[in-house]
Amino acid sequence: MVKVHGRCNLACRYCYLYEGPDHTWRGRPAAAPAAVLDRTADRIAEHARGHALTAVSLVLHGGEPLLAGVDTLVRFTGLVRDRVPVGCTVHTTVQTNATLLTEDRMTALARHGIRVGISLDGGLAAHNARRVDHAGRPSWPAAARGARLVADRFPAAYAGVLTVVDPALDPVETYESLLALRPPALDLLLPHGNWSAPPPRLEATRYGDWLCSVFDRWWRSGRRQVRVRLFEECIALLLGLPAATESLGLAPFDAVVVETDGSIEQVDSLKSAYEGAAATGLDVFRHGFDDALRHPGVAARQAGAAALSAQCRECALLDVCGGGHYAHRYRAGHGFANPSVYCADLQRFIRHVRDRLTGAMKAAP
């Protein structure tokens, strides 16, 4: 993940990055300088060559990456593709709030094989009331235009929609409103919270119940209308198949972030815990990505069950849950060796999916 721009044109009221406890973004350049992007391309190629990779996932991130300009995104992607070894495919995605998408920008992105992932809270204006610009104006009209542009004119470049679960919204209405935007894939993410800064409305299993309602709507549709990564990977894990997601399972996490100043960091979600939680002390000018792999914080996320609390290791759902999202385990003074703050919700959801899967297998001829 490369931060091509470290600022955002929106001021979403719940944003953990700009409204949370970590303020390191304030001291970094707004846009990644050309020298940072050039050196980052070298480091990606170096890593691909050193590990004989046949594919690299490159996510252009922010802030709002389109603030860097489409030309910058295209040029940087070209640098990476030119420098990786022959036979290594670079799959590039830009993750955007969609407000700055235009026909010309989408044409350029699509022409250069850059797919577009869109962050929305739902497919209706009411769902996105907290996504406002810096003057407090709603972002939905521009975001809706952008999302529909991608769906209508550039479906091959449409990577999908990322949505943070809000239990105050009707789950089925939210899901169906997103279906109307015709995404090929949907990521449902739990809000970043932890034991010291709990997520809003953490009551009983409210988040788990929300996910179960959407799962049932998705499961009973008769055909797969959209890929929902959380659902598909939960099913895979229940069946004993490999799956890779931050939210579930014990697979080692394999993403790293390059900030606009060239710093190599762990993923942004850790910034919801405390100031400097994602820092490694590394940068692309002096260090390769193998140095990041050896960092203690990264190593802890590669350790599987050994990095989990005793309560998690003894749980019957361990192989599926995997302790939940790493950032959600944090408790001040105790670090990350705790169950997820969403432990009850994850148990509720996983058991529900297991029951649906078991019922379907019993009913099969």
Side-chain angles (χ1 to χ4, degrees), residues 254-320:
D254 59 357
V256 72
V257 175
V258 178
E259 286 283 354
T260 58
D261 62 355
S263 297
I264 299 173
E265 293 205 334
Q266 299 183 70
V267 290
D268 278 353
S269 55
L270 293 183
K271 296 180 180 181
S272 63
Y274 58 89
E275 176 93 11
T280 65
L282 308 175
D283 65 74
V284 293
F285 296 102
R286 298 175 298 154
H287 307 96
F289 293 132
D290 276 356
D291 294 313
L293 276 170
R294 289 187 287 268
H295 185 274
V298 176
R301 303 197 66 183
Q302 302 267 321
L308 299 179
S309 68
Q311 179 179 333
C312 289
R313 292 196 303 272
E314 294 166 3
C315 179
L317 300 179
L318 169 64
D319 290 341
V320 180

Side-chain angles (χ1 to χ4, degrees), residues 106 115 149-159 182 184:
M106 274 305 310
R115 302 180 75 212
L149 171 67
V150 180
D152 293 343
R153 299 274 293 107
F154 302 92
Y158 199 176
R182 304 196 304 283

Side-chain angles (χ1 to χ4, degrees), residues 2-265:
V2 178
K3 296 287 193 75
V4 290
H5 206 284
R7 304 293 186 271
C8 190
N9 61 325
L10 299 186
C12 301
R13 297 190 178 106
Y14 57 86
C15 182
Y16 71 90
L17 185 58
Y18 299 113
E19 303 294 333
D22 189 292
H23 302 103
T24 51
W25 62 272
R26 297 180 185 274
R28 293 188 166 120
V36 167
L37 296 179
D38 185 77
R39 190 59 173 152
T40 300
D42 283 342
R43 291 300 190 188
I44 294 171
E46 172 188 79
H47 196 72
R49 190 163 43 249
H51 293 271
L53 300 181
T54 58
V56 170
S57 175
L58 175 63
V59 181
L60 307 178
H61 221 279
E64 172 47 55
L66 287 174
L67 290 174
V70 167
D71 288 348
T72 296
L73 307 185
V74 168
R75 186 164 51 250
F76 175 58
T77 297
L79 286 178
V80 177
R81 287 175 173 160
D82 288 345
R83 295 178 188 180
V84 297
V86 174
C88 180
T89 302
V90 178
H91 301 284
T92 305
T93 304
V94 56
Q95 189 66 35
T96 175
N97 59 40
T99 60
L100 301 179
L101 291 175
T102 64
E103 182 94 17
D104 288 346
R105 289 168 181 159
M106 274 305 310
T107 298
L109 293 171
R111 182 187 304 127
H112 290 89
I114 300 175
R115 302 180 75 212
V116 175
I118 297 175
S119 299
L120 294 170
D121 290 346
L124 299 175
H127 299 154
N128 294 275
R130 296 182 298 164
R131 297 178 69 85
V132 296
D133 68 13
H134 291 274
R137 295 170 297 202
S139 67
W140 174 249
R145 283 194 299 271
R148 290 172 184 138
L149 171 67
V150 180
D152 293 343
R153 299 274 293 107
F154 302 92
Y158 199 176
V161 171
L162 181 155
T163 293
V164 176
V165 172
D166 182 350
L169 300 178
D170 181 271
V172 174
E173 178 193 69
T174 302
Y175 172 73
E176 291 180 344
S177 71
L178 290 166
L179 279 184
L181 298 175
R182 304 196 304 283
L186 179 60
D187 264 356
L188 296 174
L189 305 181
L190 294 170
H192 290 316
N194 55 65
W195 293 105
S196 296
R201 304 182 182 90
L202 188 67
E203 306 152 1
T205 57
R206 194 168 181 181
Y207 286 90
D209 294 342
W210 197 98
L211 289 172
C212 290
S213 294
V214 178
F215 179 85
D216 283 346
R217 167 62 179 82
W218 176 80
W219 180 258
R220 293 168 179 161
S221 64
R223 61 184 179 87
R224 189 172 71 178
Q225 296 171 287
V226 63
R227 295 192 62 186
V228 182
R229 185 168 67 156
L230 180 67
F231 298 168
E232 292 185 353
E233 298 197 348
C234 184
I235 290 171
L237 288 163
L238 283 164
L239 293 174
L241 301 172
T245 174
E246 268 195 285
S247 302
L248 295 174
L250 291 167
F253 190 60
D254 59 357
V256 72
V257 175
V258 178
E259 286 283 354
T260 58
D261 62 355
S263 297
I264 299 173
E265 293 205 334

